[in-house]
Amino acid sequence: MDKRTKIYQSLAVTHLKQTLAKACIPLPPAATAMCPAAATMKSAGLSKKRKQPVVGPPESDSEEEESVYDTTSDGDEGEERQQELESDDEDEDVEERSNDDEEGEDEDEDEDESEEEEVKEDKKKKKKEKEQAKEMVKEDKKEKKEKEVGKEEKKVKKKKGEGSGILSNKLCSELPISELTANAIREMNYTHLTQIQARSIPHLLEGKDVMGAAKTGSGKTLAFLVPAIELLHHLHFSPRNGTGVIVVCPTRELAIQTHNVAKELMKYHSQTLGYVIGGNNRRSEADQLAKGVNLLVATPGRLLDHLQNTKSFIYKRLKCLVIDEADRILEQNFEEDMKQIFKRLPQNRQTVLFSATQTPEVEKFAKLSFEKNEESKEKPVYVGVDDDNSKQATVEGLQQGYCVISSEKRFLVLYALIS
């Protein structure tokens, strides 16, 4: 018999023995003779129950006993091999499971890494999209600004080309004036002439009498100051020559404003400048006139006072008389004062009259102002701007206002405005 059949026999006998033992039936002698290892196993089991020492197999000289023991040892070896095979199978299963687990973990790690890479790519895409959006917004803003600038430039060009509104298409740099006056005008940030300036300054520079009609805020002040300053400059007036130009204003506020504009225009000239208005100290004004004021800004009442009472006031060499806001002068009942002023001033002079409105009273006053022209054949040049809308005294866009002040604070407010 081969070893495998022996192993199967021993296993069958042990199984039979176990079943008989449970049924309390003794094992047949043939079975014990075939596989004494089963009996030994029974005795070993009983001995374990009884806690007796295990007795080894009896020594025998017969070949039959040795064969029996060989079969039992072979049976044990078969069981051990079977157990080893089962353990090997279990180990292989465990290894396969561990390998499967490791492969699963590797796959999970690969999936996690791929997810992380996808997240990073998504972030990069979002950043790029945000940057592109920002660039688009910047480009849109630039385009809007360029469009707005283009529209403003077109509007300015239209105004310059058409000469509509207050401004004309003529530049201040085109005027035939001295470099000293031109520098002052540039520093005042004037580039284009207004309509009244472009039409009246050329005539005034030629020494002609001019009657101008223009609304308040249209640039009349610069229209008569530039030619007056140029006249003094070309005649080389000095303080000892006295007063060469007189500008008459209806109110003290307007006189101070005109004086400030003239001061800016004359900053590079050597000629002197001053003003006399009601409410100021008359003695200090007389001292100033005695020193010599080439360009004098005055209100009608105070000017007449100095003409009558200030002996040191030199006005016999007067070259130009300017009357600003003639309509307002008449409204404030200065007509009689002006008549007296006309009588005392030299007749051989240039006369300039500006008014915001043209009324019958203004026309009569203009005739009175230009009476000396009856001796000469030349008539005053009339320059009118917006004659169709002459009823409106101010230009469009000019804001005017007033404030109500209590009688106790009027002097403080007036002093703050003047200073």
Side-chain angles (χ1 to χ4, degrees):
M1 294 176 68
D2 56 353
K3 291 182 179 182
R4 187 173 292 178
T5 54
K6 290 180 180 180
I7 291 169
Y8 287 151
Q9 287 180 358
S10 62
L11 290 173
V13 172
T14 53
H15 179 68
L16 180 62
K17 184 260 177 188
Q18 289 175 358
T19 53
L20 294 173
K22 288 180 181 180
C24 297
I25 299 171
L27 188 67
T32 54
M34 184 182 295
C35 186
T40 57
M41 289 177 66
K42 180 181 178 182
S43 62
L46 294 171
S47 63
K48 283 181 181 180
K49 289 180 181 180
R50 294 174 184 176
K51 296 182 182 180
Q52 293 179 357
V54 178
V55 180
E59 294 181 357
S60 176
D61 294 333
S62 64
E63 294 179 356
E64 293 178 357
E65 290 178 358
E66 287 179 0
S67 63
V68 171
Y69 281 108
D70 291 337
T71 57
T72 55
S73 61
D74 292 337
D76 294 335
E77 288 177 359
E79 289 179 357
E80 289 176 359
R81 288 178 182 176
Q82 189 175 2
Q83 290 177 358
E84 287 177 359
L85 292 171
E86 292 176 356
S87 63
D88 291 338
D89 294 335
E90 291 176 356
D91 292 336
E92 288 177 358
D93 294 336
V94 172
E95 287 178 358
E96 289 177 356
R97 290 176 184 174
S98 62
N99 291 329
D100 293 335
D101 294 335
E102 289 177 357
E103 290 177 357
E105 291 176 357
D106 293 336
E107 290 177 357
D108 294 336
E109 290 178 357
D110 294 336
E111 290 178 357
D112 294 336
E113 289 177 357
S114 62
E115 289 178 357
E116 290 177 357
E117 290 178 357
E118 289 178 356
V119 171
K120 289 180 180 179
E121 289 178 357
D122 292 336
K123 288 181 179 179
K124 288 180 180 179
K125 288 181 181 179
K126 288 180 180 179
K127 286 182 180 179
K128 288 182 180 179
E129 290 176 356
K130 287 181 180 179
E131 291 176 356
Q132 291 176 356
K134 288 180 180 179
E135 290 178 358
M136 293 289 289
V137 171
K138 289 180 180 179
E139 289 178 358
D140 292 337
K141 287 181 179 179
K142 287 181 180 179
E143 289 179 357
K144 288 181 181 179
K145 287 181 180 179
E146 289 176 356
K147 288 181 181 179
E148 290 176 357
V149 172
K151 288 180 181 178
E152 291 178 357
E153 289 179 353
K154 287 180 181 179
K155 288 180 181 178
V156 172
K157 286 180 180 178
K158 285 182 180 179
K159 287 182 179 179
K160 290 179 182 178
E162 296 175 359
S164 60
I166 299 174
L167 293 177
S168 68
N169 57 355
K170 191 172 183 180
L171 298 173
C172 296
S173 58
E174 297 176 2
L175 292 174
I177 56 178
S178 63
E179 190 65 24
L180 301 176
T181 307
N183 290 335
I185 292 173
R186 278 194 295 270
E187 290 182 4
M188 294 169 73
N189 296 324
Y190 290 127
T191 57
H192 287 77
L193 296 173
T194 63
Q195 294 289 340
I196 188 64
Q197 292 168 2
R199 296 182 185 183
S200 61
I201 289 177
H203 297 294
L204 292 173
L205 290 174
E206 293 176 0
K208 297 179 180 179
D209 294 339
V210 174
M211 179 179 177
K215 299 175 183 178
T216 302
S218 60
K220 296 190 302 293
T221 304
L222 216 65
F224 61 74
L225 281 179
V226 171
I229 294 168
E230 286 299 297
L231 175 63
L232 295 174
H233 173 71
H234 289 298
L235 294 175
H236 302 287
F237 253 73
S238 62
R240 64 182 182 179
N241 299 127
T243 302
V245 176
I246 295 177
V247 180
V248 181
C249 299
T251 62
R252 292 175 294 181
E253 293 78 17
L254 184 58
I256 293 170
Q257 181 181 348
T258 304
H259 174 269
N260 292 334
V261 176
K263 187 177 181 181
E264 292 184 16
L265 287 171
M266 296 178 66
K267 65 191 303 183
Y268 297 114
H269 289 276
S270 60
Q271 283 72 33
T272 56
L273 173 68
Y275 65 94
V276 290
I277 58 175
N280 283 4
N281 190 345
R282 187 185 177 283
R283 182 174 295 178
S284 62
E285 291 179 351
D287 294 339
Q288 185 181 6
L289 292 172
K291 294 178 182 179
V293 179
N294 299 139
L295 195 153
L296 180 66
V297 183
T299 52
R302 182 54 61 92
L303 175 61
L304 180 60
D305 185 7
H306 284 292
L307 289 173
Q308 293 173 345
N309 302 315
T310 304
K311 295 180 180 180
S312 59
F313 182 20
I314 302 172
Y315 57 88
K316 297 300 180 181
R317 297 178 181 176
L318 183 71
K319 300 299 178 182
C320 180
L321 173 65
V322 180
I323 303 170
D324 190 18
E325 301 286 353
D327 51 349
R328 294 182 64 186
I329 289 175
L330 296 176
E331 288 175 1
Q332 296 185 16
N333 300 321
F334 284 122
E335 185 176 0
E336 293 298 325
D337 292 343
M338 292 302 300
K339 288 180 181 179
Q340 294 296 323
I341 290 170
F342 293 151
K343 289 180 181 179
R344 292 181 177 275
L345 294 178
Q347 296 296 318
N348 187 17
R349 68 175 189 271
Q350 183 184 17
T351 304
V352 184
L353 186 146
F354 281 99
S355 177
T357 58
Q358 296 296 319
T359 61
E361 290 79 8
V362 173
E363 292 178 0
K364 290 179 182 179
F365 182 71
K367 290 180 181 179
L368 181 63
S369 304
F370 296 110
E371 276 182 358
K372 53 107 179 175
N373 286 336
E374 293 179 357
E375 298 176 359
S376 62
K377 295 181 180 180
E378 294 182 1
K379 294 182 179 180
V381 179
Y382 178 79
V383 179
V385 179
D386 297 331
D387 289 336
D388 296 334
N389 298 325
S390 59
K391 294 181 180 180
Q392 297 180 358
T394 58
V395 297
E396 295 180 0
L398 182 65
Q399 295 181 355
Q400 295 180 333
Y402 67 92
C403 57
V404 180
I405 308 297
S406 62
S407 58
E408 297 176 353
K409 297 181 180 179
R410 285 180 183 176
F411 179 76
L412 296 175
V413 174
L414 179 62
Y415 179 78
L417 291 173
I418 294 173
S419 59

